[in-house]
Amino acid sequence: MATVEELKLRVRELENELIKCKQRQAAAEDAHNRPRIDKMSAEVVDSNPYSRLMALKRMGIVDDYEKIRTFSVAVVGVGGVGSVTAEMLTRCGIGKLLLFDYDKVELAIMNRLFFQPHQAGLSKVEAAEHTLRNINPDVAFETHNYNITTLDNFTHFMDRISRGGLEEGRAVDLVLSCVDNFEARMAINTACNELGQIWMESGVSENAVSGHIQLIIPGETACFACAPPLVVAANIDEKTLKREGVCAASLPTTMGVVAGILVQNVLKYLLKFGTVSYYLGYNAMQDFFPTMAMKANPQCSDRHCRRQQEDFKKKEAERPKVEAAQEEEEEIVHEDNEWGIELVSEVTDAELRAASGTVPDLPEGITVAYTIPAEETASGETVEETEVSLEDLMAQMRKL
Amino acid sequence: MATVEELKLRVRELENELIKCKQRQAAAEDAHNRPRIDKMSAEVVDSNPYSRLMALKRMGIVDDYEKIRTFSVAVVGVGGVGSVTAEMLTRCGIGKLLLFDYDKVELAIMNRLFFQPHQAGLSKVEAAEHTLRNINPDVAFETHNYNITTLDNFTHFMDRISRGGLEEGRAVDLVLSCVDNFEARMAINTACNELGQIWMESGVSENAVSGHIQLIIPGETACFACAPPLVVAANIDEKTLKREGVCAASLPTTMGVVAGILVQNVLKYLLKFGTVSYYLGYNAMQDFFPTMAMKANPQCSDRHCRRQQEDFKKKEAERPKVEAAQEEEEEIVHEDNEWGIELVSEVTDAELRAASGTVPDLPEGITVAYTIPAEETASGETVEETEVSLEDLMAQMRKL
């Protein structure tokens, strides 16, 4: 039988072992963090996570890199494109990120970057926030684990993008659509048209080998209701696309490239360098990257888009002539970024349909995601007279 | 004073607590793993990490996706481009990855994707292997924490790429250069020329806003000694580039795009779909993606390159005419991928130099990384007679 002394020794041993075990655990958790950094520095030391971003100033690329901390960006959809988009913005030191998604992490998405197998079962926004906060604790995060297309959530989403900026009450600087379905895209389009919120759209084809990004300035460039959304021509059998209930293909390469060109466009837009692209496509089969731009359609079915167009026209008219001329010159940095096409009443729905999926005037390599069914033109109702609600739009989209 | 009974109780409590603590630790470590999967399946269930890759078959993009498991790829340089490259290949389910790097993870590289702050201080290959194995335990990994340009390591590197394939003794299927300096690129070039090993090069400019990938088939396409390496024209002040001791700028966007187009090219090459690019550039300022191709230079200073050219010529001559004609037709899928330029003796070094950094015939947006100094042409020695060693080449490069 053990003596009191032996037992005391054993207690001390066990206590020490337990302390060590707990310390190891705490260390493992702490190790995921770095201390916050109050002020971005350009100092070239191994411990400075911002030195290579601040070097963009010395290289003559960006005038004021520190300004990145004053911006807030909403990322809607934290999947193959959205998660990498959020990670890039986090590593660039963006001020605030708002993440919206209602999906869970599954092993089935391990073929794209970002999420890891041990996160399976967690909500995407929760898992993403945890990883991103570890990567850069200087970024403010706000996550919403819901579907933005339901009525209540849509109202809340509108509120957050109009008031959830870096200082509460201010709008976000940019909304990024990284969703994988039409309903969600239309919800973002509707919200941004109503709020006059500038946003960027991104998409990857269901065959995984093409994608695009698009900048939408309400009232100025075509919104999602102005014209059928543009996609990169697949050059492959269209019948394989968009079949109900069939698992879409995806590749980490295509999604990584699309996230890369999306966030590059965000950085160029926010930090004012280079040429911001209105539309940039990616055809991975041929390594072809078409660009273009498209004006807003005066007969757009979204009344808020038409109102924004009126406001834009007024502002343009009020602008001093000299300034306007200067800006025009600045905008046309290379010819691909001039306004390419005007999709207005000259192109009827019937003509679109007759073109069997392709609007004739689009640049090589770009096509439309769908054409408008003939039934709609036959109704006799002009687009101008219709006040289409979000619900109507969604119902229409579901049919397509 | 405690009784024996009290002490025994305390011992039991502590033992239980310690067991629980160790279990939590083990669970935390285990959570990072998923079980291995023997056979890739196309089954559409949440738990299948390959369903969306296998869907490429149903979508008509890839004939035999499972073949990915039979390939081994060496990634030299596990930095901003190499780490993402390795992650993409891991998530795609590549058979084996060989990683070469001698650098450590530092907070200063947290502005690019992949590494996390808690890995600071670890070797890049060690940290990368740990993360990648957790992401996909079906991939075989081999890591080498050394600088390939020293004599002993170079010999070992040659041995591993020629014998470190999926089955020991077989060569790897592809070598990817993701290094950030000229010496390492030249070492890879020398090794691949000697072994007749097909490889792909990648690079990102020091101002962070351009990059490129290039496919090099020894004897067929221009190697790194055939002509000055091609880079995307910066269109900005060249004086800001390549200053000694100054921290280069880098962006997760540019590096993510370059890794994406690199691995896409790898997948197209290994799995035989789409058009494999010989050279694809990325100019982030203008969203411009030039493509081109360049034949090997018969007067290349690398004797192994010249030997490979002779072998290639013989093989071409031996090929049945019909087959040759068919292949030619297949290769020219779009005009940018035809052979663009022949950099042979028509262009003298003096002419290159006179062009002040730009070879006149290069497609818009592409330029050379450097021009050859006039001293070398003045020596009277013809390139044909020189047997340049690796050391000589490196010494020359250092001077440039």
Side-chain angles (χ1 to χ4, degrees):
Chain A
M1 199 189 130
T3 66
V4 170
E5 283 316 304
E6 281 169 344
L7 282 167
K8 277 187 179 169
L9 197 70
R10 180 76 185 125
V11 165
R12 234 171 296 142
E13 274 173 10
L14 283 168
E15 279 172 346
N16 283 338
E17 250 192 280
L18 191 60
I19 287 166
K20 274 187 212 154
C21 185
K22 285 184 175 170
Q23 277 173 343
R24 273 197 302 272
Q25 237 171 23
E29 276 161 28
D30 277 355
H32 285 269
N33 297 317
R34 68 154 170 83
R36 286 200 183 186
I37 295 169
D38 280 343
K39 199 174 171 299
M40 279 189 171
S41 143
E43 199 192 352
V44 183
V45 286
D46 285 346
S47 58
N48 179 8
Y50 297 119
S51 58
R52 287 159 200 213
L53 295 165
M54 292 290 279
L56 289 164
K57 291 169 71 172
R58 201 176 42 240
M59 295 280 175
I61 305 294
V62 180
D63 285 338
D64 183 8
Y65 191 84
E66 294 96 319
K67 223 182 161 201
I68 191 91
R69 285 196 161 187
T70 66
F71 299 115
S72 64
V73 174
V75 178
V76 190
V78 189
V81 173
S83 62
V84 181
T85 293
E87 181 174 350
M88 286 176 172
L89 288 169
T90 298
R91 291 186 184 265
C92 284
I94 194 85
K96 180 176 175 181
L97 273 185
L98 293 87
L99 306 178
F100 297 84
D101 205 306
Y102 64 101
D103 217 1
K104 276 199 161 68
V105 179
E106 305 286 359
L107 287 184
I109 61 166
M110 291 306 141
N111 67 319
R112 306 99 175 255
L113 296 179
F114 192 73
F115 290 113
Q116 300 213 1
H118 73 270
Q119 297 175 312
L122 296 176
S123 78
K124 284 184 180 174
V125 291
E126 181 191 356
E129 184 187 358
H130 184 255
T131 303
L132 297 173
R133 211 183 271 282
N134 283 336
I135 290 172
N136 192 346
D138 300 330
V139 178
F141 295 95
E142 176 180 322
T143 61
H144 298 286
N145 187 22
Y146 61 57
N147 178 350
I148 63 160
T149 66
T150 69
L151 201 62
D152 281 0
N153 294 339
F154 182 73
T155 309
H156 191 263
F157 170 67
M158 289 263 289
D159 179 72
R160 292 321 295 153
I161 62 175
S162 58
R163 300 169 32 81
L166 206 53
E167 298 132 41
E168 185 60 29
R170 220 178 74 186
V172 301
D173 296 283
L174 210 48
V175 172
L176 304 181
S177 162
C178 303
V179 297
D180 63 355
N181 66 85
F182 219 87
E183 239 168 324
R185 281 191 178 89
M186 267 304 177
I188 298 167
N189 190 65
T190 305
C192 292
N193 273 338
E194 185 164 344
L195 298 168
Q197 172 65 55
I198 295 176
W199 62 293
M200 290 187 199
E201 174 359 60
S202 70
V204 170
S205 67
E206 299 215 344
N207 64 7
V209 288
S210 66
H212 70 271
I213 63 157
Q214 185 172 355
L215 166 66
I216 296 158
I217 307 173
E220 194 177 340
T221 70
C223 84
F224 253 57
C226 281
L230 303 169
V231 294
V232 173
N235 293 341
I236 56 150
D237 189 358
E238 295 277 336
K239 275 170 286 182
T240 59
L241 295 174
K242 304 254 175 199
R243 281 184 303 186
E244 271 300 322
V246 169
C247 157
S250 59
L251 281 167
T253 46
T254 309
M255 287 180 152
V257 169
V258 170
I261 59 176
L262 176 65
V263 179
Q264 199 82 281
N265 219 37
V266 170
L267 295 175
K268 291 195 284 183
Y269 171 80
L270 294 176
L271 299 174
K272 300 191 194 308
F273 68 97
T275 305
V276 177
S277 281
Y278 288 100
Y279 183 96
L280 175 59
Y282 170 40
N283 173 326
M285 298 295 268
Q286 269 102 39
D287 280 337
F288 178 55
F289 298 77
T291 57
M292 64 164 298
M294 201 163 62
K295 277 189 188 167
N297 176 3
Q299 275 140 51
C300 179
S301 60
D302 185 323
R303 70 189 164 94
H304 290 295
C305 175
R306 296 198 308 275
R307 176 176 56 82
Q308 298 287 355
Q309 290 182 48
E310 291 305 316
D311 290 354
F312 176 67
K313 261 190 229 158
K314 269 181 221 153
K315 258 188 257 163
E316 284 290 286
E318 282 164 14
R319 254 203 318 193
K321 288 284 174 218
V322 185
E323 198 197 311
Q326 269 177 351
E327 278 212 11
E328 204 170 357
E329 223 173 339
E330 272 171 32
E331 262 179 32
I332 305 166
V333 176
H334 84 133
E335 57 178 19
D336 280 341
N337 270 324
E338 286 184 84
W339 294 116
I341 307 143
E342 249 182 298
L343 261 193
V344 289
S345 53
E346 283 82 33
V347 181
T348 66
D349 292 351
E351 277 170 1
L352 266 178
R353 204 175 62 95
S356 67
T358 309
V359 180
D361 278 353
L362 289 169
E364 194 201 329
I366 299 178
T367 185
V368 290
Y370 63 88
T371 51
I372 296 151
E375 297 84 69
E376 312 230 337
T377 55
S379 74
E381 205 177 34
T382 73
V383 181
E384 202 64 307
E385 286 162 8
T386 323
E387 294 288 303
V388 189
S389 72
L390 175 64
E391 286 72 26
D392 291 343
L393 271 173
M394 285 177 182
Q396 278 176 35
M397 292 312 149
R398 255 184 241 113
K399 273 190 283 176
L400 292 170
Chain B
M1 198 188 131
T3 65
V4 169
E5 284 314 306
E6 281 169 346
L7 283 167
K8 275 186 181 168
L9 199 67
R10 179 78 186 127
V11 166
R12 234 170 295 143
E13 274 173 10
L14 283 167
E15 278 172 346
N16 283 338
E17 251 192 277
L18 190 62
I19 286 165
K20 274 186 210 155
C21 184
K22 284 185 175 169
Q23 278 173 342
R24 274 196 301 271
Q25 237 170 27
E29 276 161 30
D30 278 356
H32 286 269
N33 297 317
R34 67 153 170 83
R36 287 201 184 186
I37 295 169
D38 281 342
K39 198 172 172 299
M40 279 189 172
S41 142
E43 200 193 351
V44 183
V45 286
D46 285 346
S47 58
N48 178 9
Y50 297 119
S51 57
R52 285 158 200 214
L53 296 165
M54 293 290 279
L56 289 163
K57 291 168 70 173
R58 200 178 42 238
M59 294 279 175
I61 304 295
V62 180
D63 284 339
D64 183 8
Y65 192 84
E66 293 96 318
K67 221 182 163 200
I68 191 91
R69 287 197 159 185
T70 66
F71 299 115
S72 65
V73 174
V75 178
V76 190
V78 188
V81 173
S83 62
V84 180
T85 293
E87 181 175 349
M88 286 175 173
L89 288 169
T90 297
R91 291 186 184 263
C92 284
I94 194 86
K96 180 176 175 181
L97 274 185
L98 293 87
L99 306 179
F100 298 84
D101 205 305
Y102 64 102
D103 217 0
K104 276 200 162 67
V105 179
E106 304 287 359
L107 286 184
I109 60 166
M110 290 306 139
N111 66 319
R112 307 97 175 257
L113 297 179
F114 191 73
F115 290 114
Q116 301 214 359
H118 74 269
Q119 296 174 314
L122 296 176
S123 78
K124 283 184 180 174
V125 291
E126 182 191 355
E129 184 188 358
H130 184 254
T131 304
L132 297 174
R133 211 183 272 284
N134 282 337
I135 290 171
N136 191 347
D138 300 329
V139 178
F141 295 96
E142 176 180 321
T143 61
H144 298 285
N145 188 20
Y146 61 57
N147 179 349
I148 65 159
T149 67
T150 71
L151 202 62
D152 282 359
N153 292 340
F154 182 74
T155 309
H156 191 262
F157 170 67
M158 289 264 289
D159 178 72
R160 292 322 294 152
I161 62 175
S162 57
R163 299 168 32 80
L166 205 54
E167 298 132 41
E168 186 60 28
R170 220 178 75 185
V172 300
D173 295 284
L174 210 48
V175 173
L176 305 180
S177 163
C178 303
V179 297
D180 63 356
N181 66 85
F182 219 88
E183 239 168 325
R185 280 190 179 89
M186 266 305 177
I188 298 167
N189 191 64
T190 305
C192 292
N193 274 337
E194 186 165 343
L195 298 168
Q197 172 66 55
I198 295 176
W199 62 293
M200 290 186 200
E201 173 2 57
S202 69
V204 170
S205 67
E206 299 215 345
N207 64 7
V209 288
S210 65
H212 70 272
I213 63 157
Q214 186 172 355
L215 166 66
I216 296 159
I217 306 173
E220 193 176 339
T221 70
C223 84
F224 253 56
C226 281
L230 303 169
V231 294
V232 173
N235 293 340
I236 57 149
D237 189 358
E238 296 275 337
K239 275 170 285 181
T240 60
L241 296 174
K242 304 252 174 201
R243 283 183 303 187
E244 272 299 324
V246 170
C247 158
S250 58
L251 281 167
T253 45
T254 310
M255 287 180 153
V257 169
V258 170
I261 59 176
L262 176 65
V263 179
Q264 199 82 284
N265 219 34
V266 170
L267 295 176
K268 290 195 284 183
Y269 171 79
L270 294 177
L271 298 174
K272 300 189 194 310
F273 67 97
T275 306
V276 177
S277 281
Y278 288 102
Y279 183 96
L280 174 60
Y282 170 41
N283 174 324
M285 297 296 267
Q286 270 100 39
D287 281 336
F288 178 55
F289 298 77
T291 56
M292 63 164 300
M294 201 164 61
K295 278 188 186 167
N297 176 3
Q299 277 141 51
C300 179
S301 59
D302 185 323
R303 69 188 164 96
H304 290 295
C305 176
R306 298 199 307 274
R307 176 176 56 81
Q308 298 288 355
Q309 290 183 47
E310 291 306 316
D311 291 354
F312 177 68
K313 261 190 228 157
K314 270 181 221 150
K315 256 188 258 162
E316 284 290 288
E318 281 165 14
R319 251 200 324 189
K321 287 284 175 218
V322 185
E323 197 196 312
Q326 269 178 350
E327 277 212 13
E328 203 168 357
E329 221 173 340
E330 271 170 32
E331 262 178 33
I332 305 167
V333 175
H334 86 133
E335 59 178 16
D336 279 342
N337 270 323
E338 286 186 84
W339 294 116
I341 307 142
E342 247 182 300
L343 260 195
V344 289
S345 52
E346 283 82 31
V347 182
T348 67
D349 292 350
E351 277 170 0
L352 266 178
R353 206 174 61 95
S356 70
T358 309
V359 180
D361 278 353
L362 288 169
E364 195 202 329
I366 298 179
T367 185
V368 291
Y370 62 87
T371 51
I372 297 152
E375 298 84 69
E376 311 232 337
T377 55
S379 74
E381 204 178 36
T382 73
V383 181
E384 203 65 306
E385 285 161 9
T386 325
E387 294 288 304
V388 189
S389 72
L390 175 65
E391 287 72 25
D392 291 342
L393 270 174
M394 285 177 183
Q396 277 176 36
M397 292 312 147
R398 255 183 241 113
K399 273 190 281 176
L400 291 172

